[in-house]
Each structure stands twice: as C-alpha cells, then as structure tokens.
Amino acid sequence: MAILIDNIGELTTNDPELGTRHDAAVVLDGERIAWAGASGAAPDADERLDVGGRAVLPGWVDSHTHLVFAGDRTVEFAARMAGKPYTAGGIATTVEATKAASDEALAANLRRHVAEAERQGTTFLETKTGYGLSVVDELRSARIAAEVVDEVTFLGAHLVPPGVDAESYVDLVCGEMLDAVAEHVRWVDVFCEEGAFDEAQSERVLRAAVKRGLGVRVHGNQLGPGPGVRLAVRAGAASVDHCTYLTDDDVAALAGSGTVATLLPACDLSTRQPLAPARRLLDAGAVVALATNANPGSSYTTSMAFCVATAVLQMRMTVEEAVWAATAGGAAALRRDDVGFIRPGGRADLQVLDAPSVTHLAYRPGVPLTWAVFRRGVHRMFNPSPLG
C-alpha cells in the first residue's frame, strides 16, 4: 500500500539530485521509497499523511553500538565524573554480568534499547558482540543480535579476559570463536588500543576476518595516539571508530582512503576525553560519520539527536554536515546505499521532526523533536502534538 507524506516544510534527502526541498512530498510503497519531489507534483497514493509543514529527513543510521549486555556501571561513571580516568579494563564488569544473564534477559534488554532508539528517530542500527569473550557467549550474543538489529559486528577482540594469555586469546578469536559466529555477523571489529590489543594482534584479527569474507572495522585512537587509523586504512576497513587523538598523518590517511572516520561524541563527553577533531577531518576531505557508541560503560545513550547537537555546538560541524554524518555517513560506515538517503528505491526509513527544519536539532538541544518515524515503511507516531 502506497502512502503520500505531504506538506513537508523542509525535506532533507542527502541525494545530490534531489537536494534539500521545501513544500515537498514523499511517496512510500511498502518497504521502499517510490517517489520524492515537489508537493504539487506528487503522484496519487492509497493514503495521505499531512505533516503540517514539519521537517522530514532520513532516519538516523547508528553505525556503532554495544547493546547485547547486562548489568550496570553507574558506580564507574560516578567515579569517572569525580576524576578517575577511563580505561579499557572496565569492560570486564559488563562481561561478568552478561555471562550471568539468560538469553531471554539479553534479548529483552536489546529490544528495549532498540525501541528507545527508534523513538528518537533511529531506523537502522548496528550492534556488536564483545561482552562474552568465550566461544559460547560470543556465539549467543551474535545470535541474539542477529534476531533484533540490522547489522551485527563480531567484537571478540574487545578485551583479553583476565588471567588469559593475550596471544592464545587472539588465536581463539581468529579460529574457533570466529568460526562459531561467522554465520550471524557481517563485520569483525578489534579494539586496537593500549590495554586491549596491539597493532600486530589487531592485524591478525582483521586478516582472519577478510579470509572468512567478512568486512572489517577498527576501534582506534580513542585513549591516545596509536596505530588504529593506520591499521584501518591499510586493511581497507569500512570505518575506524573514535578517532579522538589524530596526528596530521592520520587525518591525511583517512582523507585519502575509503575508510570512514566514525566519531562518537557522547563517549568523548562521558569519558572526559577531548572531542574528536571533526573540523580537521572534514576540511581535509575525510568522510565522517556520527554514532552513539551506546553501551553501559562509556556512552550510555541511544540518542543520535544528542550526538548531532554536540557535533554542531561543540565540534564545529554545520547542522547539515552533522545530519549527513548521522544518516548517510553512518550508511557509508556500514557500506550501505539503501539507507541514510531519501530517494526512489531506497528503504522506507525516515523521520518527521516536530519542527520546521533540521536546524532545530541543534537550536533546541535536548528537546525530544521526533514526531513520527517510518521504518521499512511502518509508521509510528511518537509526539503527535500540533506544530508550534
């Protein structure tokens, strides 16, 4: 059944041909976008939704989350706010709680967070394993994630479990563990950072992934300068995520590559790290994505709108750059061309703001502006108030 979304005040398409339009309309036919353009030229449809001059844009594409978990790290967060530095080792607390949780509890928690994200405009979401760190627990995390989210990433190389030899653990990740999860995942990631995995160990993980025909991603340059960006570019990774500490050579490497720099501003704030150098990356010509890094330890938020507002208000991105990074940029980080855009043939994923333009995402930070969401063409109203 086709639905006409009409009387759009501002339509952000991320499509070079369609551009940003005013007094616009979009037609959805089932799970796909059938048409977009001027309101007066819209074709007939089975139903019509008048959005009253509101802004319409692609649904958020959150390309970096860690949502298969159990437990709580409030105490760690409070200690960090009191001055304790963030380290990679805190992951072990979540690993312990996740191992102890039932499949049903993990799945329910994942669905709760995905629904929370959707209420804030997220229509496409990636999540990672990485809180199991054993063959059995990584497999069940991958299986549970694959039943709920759009894209799944294997992050067995998140942390070396306490008391385990690092090289032996990398052998396990590259062998039996990867074999177990491969059918449930599209990506393999590695935390290339001091306190986690060094460059040689990280490269072993990525090579094993490529050999299995899986895409690769890297956590890199979060806690200090390091080899993560160089490794990601060398490996042809779809993205390198965090990018908090970058040298000029790192920026140049990203600008000259097909690897997306995925920035995680909510994590930078929560860990009291410097915000990633978005302006340097954009001015150099690098492709930038924004994501939440939703996880219980270092970034417990599912709000992409918060990340967009932070990018504009504190990272010197324009509103248009930040919106693109949180939609089309996230799609690029996942090497998707069917989401993050509003154009014929694309997936019918979009959001309607209770505001006349996307500028309000930064102009009114913290205000819940998601009025409605379409995900695969299914319509949900979240804030059915008249436009003020």
Side-chain angles (χ1 to χ4, degrees):
M1 182 172 65
I3 180 169
L4 168 65
I5 305 169
D6 203 6
N7 194 14
I8 299 171
E10 177 187 85
L11 175 64
T12 299
T13 69
N14 290 338
D15 183 89
E17 294 185 9
L18 291 170
T20 298
R21 291 173 172 258
H22 300 276
D23 191 18
V26 176
V27 175
L28 309 182
D29 192 354
E31 294 189 359
R32 296 289 161 183
I33 298 168
W35 181 90
S39 181
D44 292 334
D46 300 302
E47 292 186 8
R48 178 178 179 269
L49 173 65
D50 186 330
V51 298
R54 291 175 172 83
V56 172
L57 66 156
W60 304 128
V61 179
D62 194 349
S63 62
H64 184 130
T65 76
H66 304 252
L67 289 175
V68 184
F69 73 88
D72 179 89
R73 285 159 68 181
T74 304
V75 172
E76 176 190 327
F77 176 80
R80 199 161 59 243
M81 295 304 100
K84 183 178 179 180
Y86 174 76
T87 66
I91 294 164
T93 302
T94 302
V95 171
E96 182 178 352
T98 302
K99 284 176 175 288
S102 67
D103 288 12
E104 293 75 18
L106 291 177
N109 197 46
L110 173 59
R111 290 192 180 95
R112 177 173 68 86
H113 285 100
V114 170
E116 179 183 272
E118 185 178 358
R119 289 195 299 272
Q120 300 170 89
T122 297
T123 55
F124 196 95
L125 187 142
E126 177 267 7
T127 205
K128 307 175 196 302
T129 70
Y131 294 131
L133 307 188
S134 70
V135 174
V136 170
D137 290 299
E138 284 295 298
L139 172 57
R140 74 169 182 148
S141 292
R143 176 178 49 77
I144 290 167
E147 293 172 354
V148 178
V149 304
D150 299 284
E151 297 263 355
V152 183
T153 300
F154 168 51
L155 185 58
H158 201 184
L159 190 74
V160 179
V164 176
D165 173 72
E167 292 299 324
S168 297
Y169 183 68
V170 173
D171 288 341
L172 181 67
V173 169
C174 294
E176 184 181 356
M177 198 180 285
L178 179 56
D179 290 341
V181 304
E183 67 176 299
H184 301 290
V185 307
R186 185 181 175 209
W187 303 98
V188 174
D189 202 341
V190 59
F191 192 10
C192 181
E193 198 75 57
E194 185 175 350
F197 297 88
D198 65 24
E199 183 173 5
Q201 293 163 345
S202 299
E203 189 160 25
R204 284 181 58 199
V205 173
L206 299 185
R207 285 180 174 174
V210 171
K211 189 174 180 180
R212 289 300 302 262
L214 297 170
V216 295
R217 314 161 68 77
V218 175
H219 280 57
N221 300 66
Q222 177 189 5
L223 305 179
V229 166
R230 298 193 303 272
L231 172 63
V233 171
R234 187 166 70 244
S239 71
V240 55
D241 301 23
H242 287 290
C243 297
T244 308
Y245 294 92
L246 300 181
T247 66
D248 289 343
D249 287 344
D250 292 330
V251 173
L254 285 165
S257 76
T259 299
V260 175
T262 299
L263 311 185
L264 310 171
C267 179
D268 294 335
L269 292 173
S270 178
T271 57
R272 292 198 163 159
Q273 299 279 92
L275 288 160
R279 191 72 264 152
R280 281 174 63 202
L281 286 161
L282 289 165
D283 289 346
V287 177
V288 169
L290 291 171
T292 63
N293 190 27
N295 76 83
S298 63
S299 185
Y300 198 12
T301 181
T302 54
S303 176
M304 288 288 282
F306 173 74
C307 295
V308 167
T310 300
V312 175
L313 296 173
Q314 298 192 51
M315 297 166 70
R316 299 181 61 202
M317 295 178 74
T318 67
V319 173
E320 293 76 17
E321 288 169 338
V323 167
W324 192 97
T327 52
L334 295 169
R335 293 192 172 161
R336 306 282 305 216
D337 60 7
D338 59 335
V339 294
F341 300 85
I342 295 177
R343 59 190 178 198
R347 205 170 98 161
D349 288 3
L350 52 85
Q351 57 180 311
V352 185
L353 301 181
D354 199 17
S357 75
V358 294
T359 300
H360 282 240
L361 290 162
Y363 179 46
R364 306 190 68 208
V367 176
L369 293 178
T370 302
W371 187 75
V373 164
F374 289 80
R375 184 178 182 274
R376 292 187 181 273
V378 177
H379 177 209
R380 294 180 176 85
M381 300 286 291
F382 294 121
N383 187 20
S385 62
L387 182 64

